[in-house]
């Protein structure tokens, strides 16, 4: 007789917040991790990346990734260090993006440790990087990209499939199908969900059937305003550029920044904003753009960009890779637009731009994505009306610039879009679990789903360990 299995699921991250996504799955003798992300944000959150994992990395049969963002992939090099040598399954787009994101992150880690060592700016005697470029290179060799919409057998009772999630290039829902007693049961894991409002990315595919659904809830308590994000961007940009200001737009280097660049070009071509120098400032901006344009299956804008860059980019557009070039931009006079990496202002080049532009009342900062609690970005966003100074690199920087937020530019669905996407399910899942959201966002989305569909929903912050499909 065949042994009977129970599916054991345990959230190791992103169950009471939005970073550090890691979900441990055990089925029979096999163990898997869905996503392997870094904790990001304030120091006390980042500290968790140094804590020991409550699982044995060597015992994992595979890691499965929803998408390439660091809060879903950034722990992989540390997992490798702990002895993980199995395959990393993901979509083809995710594999390409994750490689540059991981290398960039490893490089930054080394640079920070180096800097701390030289300046003595660290509590630690001998500051170490969380992981090295060598660790990142090693774990990248384990990637096994797979096409979407095809079942892949992981063992004789378990198979895996990726479906388009519409959040960034390559982003995918993960479906696991468990066979037992002639019955197939499905666990679906959304990772981050996109929406249908993007000008350059296709929206999420529906999931029609699942027994258990693990659903993200970043915007579980928020509604994006109904006006069109591009129109609003045009209004803000026009205002700041008219007063010769420099506009700083913090954005994830991979994801929203490509769309924002496209929108700026679009607004320029329609004469809504003037042609001014536009910079995409991130060490990986060029490579991220190249990958962006090579993944046709995710895009709505496929139009011959390679032959005709004018149809995508602003007229005076430049990607900035070197740190020296980036510093040069901080010395430029306006009008200009700088789209800069590190969306939540937790570090990176955007801080240099802010240091220079915040004291100038002609300047503008446009937030375009989710600012997690405790980050500098959230602090600036919440207190922009009353804030006189902001601490950057141990200096108090005067805040005179205009600070605005365009929530529509987020690459996450809001709660009404999530509810709409759930309409695609043919029948009620046995259980819905909400992760990847602050507690209040999880609670609020849970309530909305119960009210609309009457399903059984539990926020992950209430219960992190589960068992399903037992004999
Ligand atoms: Zn994401």
């Amino acid at each position: 007789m065949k042994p009977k299995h129970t599916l054991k699921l345990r959230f190791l991250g992103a169950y009471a917040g939005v970073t550090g996504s890691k979900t441990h799955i055990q089925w029979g003798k096999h163990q898997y991790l869905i996503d392997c992300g870094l904790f990001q944000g304030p120091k006390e959150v980042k500290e968790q990346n140094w804590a020991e994992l409550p699982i044995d990395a060597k015992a994992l049969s595979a890691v499965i990734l929803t998408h390439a963002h660091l809060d879903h992939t950034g722990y992989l090099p540390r997992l490798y260090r702990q002895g993980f040598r199995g395959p990393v399954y993901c979509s083809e787009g995710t594999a390409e993006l994750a490689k540059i994101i991981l290398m960039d992150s490893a490089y930054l880690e080394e640079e920070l440790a180096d800097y701390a060592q030289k300046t003595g700016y660290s509590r630690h005697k001998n500051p170490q990087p969380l992981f090295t470029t060598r660790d990142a290179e090693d774990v990248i060799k384990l990637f096994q990209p797979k096409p979407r919409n095809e079942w892949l057998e992981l063992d004789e009772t378990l198979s895996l499939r990726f479906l388009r999630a519409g959040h960034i290039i390559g982003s995918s829902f993960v479906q696991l199908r468990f066979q037992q007693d002639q019955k197939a049961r499905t666990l679906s894991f959304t990772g981050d969900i996109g929406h249908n409002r993007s000008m350059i990315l296709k929206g999420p595919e529906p999931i029609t059937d699942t027994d258990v659904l693990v659903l993200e809830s970043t915007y579980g308590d928020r509604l994006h305003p109904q006006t069109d994000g591009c129109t609003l961007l045009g209004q803000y940009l026009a205002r700041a550029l008219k007063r010769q200001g420099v506009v700083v737009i913090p954005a994830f280097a991979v994801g929203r920044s490509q769309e924002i660049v496209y929108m700026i070009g679009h607004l320029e071509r329609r004469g809504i904003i003037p042609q001014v120098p536009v910079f995409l400032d991130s060490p990986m901006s060029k490579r991220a753009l190249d990958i962006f344009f090579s993944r046709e299956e995710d895009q709505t804008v496929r139009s011959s960009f390679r032959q005709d860059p004018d149809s995508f980019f602003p007229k005076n557009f430049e990607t900035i890779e070197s740190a020296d070039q980036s510093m040069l931009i901080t010395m430029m006079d306006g009008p200009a637009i700088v789209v800069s990496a590190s969306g939540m202002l937790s570090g990176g080049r955007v801080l240099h731009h802010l240091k220079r532009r915040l004291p100038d009342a002609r300047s503008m900062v446009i937030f375009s994505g989710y600012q997690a609690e405790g980050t500098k970005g959230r602090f600036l966003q919440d207190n922009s009306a009353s804030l006189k100074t902001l601490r950057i690199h141990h200096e108090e920087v005067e805040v005179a610039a205009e600070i605005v937020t365009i929530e529509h530019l987020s690459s996450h669905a809001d709660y009404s879009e999530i509810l709409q996407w759930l309409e695609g399910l043919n029948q009620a899942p046995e259980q819905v679990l909400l992760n990847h959201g602050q507690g209040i966002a999880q609670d609020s989305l849970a309530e909305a789903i119960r009210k609309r569909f009457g399903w059984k929903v539990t926020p992950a912050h209430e219960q992190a360990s589960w068992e399903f499909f037992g004999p």
Side-chain angles (χ1 to χ4, degrees), residues 81 88 113 227 283 289 309 333 417:
R81 236 186 213 199
V88 177
T227 41
L289 269 175
D333 286 326
E417 287 162 333

Side-chain angles (χ1 to χ4, degrees), residues 58-72:
K58 291 194 263 324
L60 290 170
S61 298
V63 173
I64 303 160
L65 300 177
T66 59
H67 68 292
H69 276 151
L70 209 56
D71 59 323
H72 294 256

Side-chain angles (χ1 to χ4, degrees), residues 67 69 71-72 167-168 192 252 411-412 436:
H67 68 292
H69 276 151
D71 59 323
H72 294 256
H167 167 66
I168 58 169
D192 296 355
F252 271 123
S411 45
H412 289 267
H436 203 286

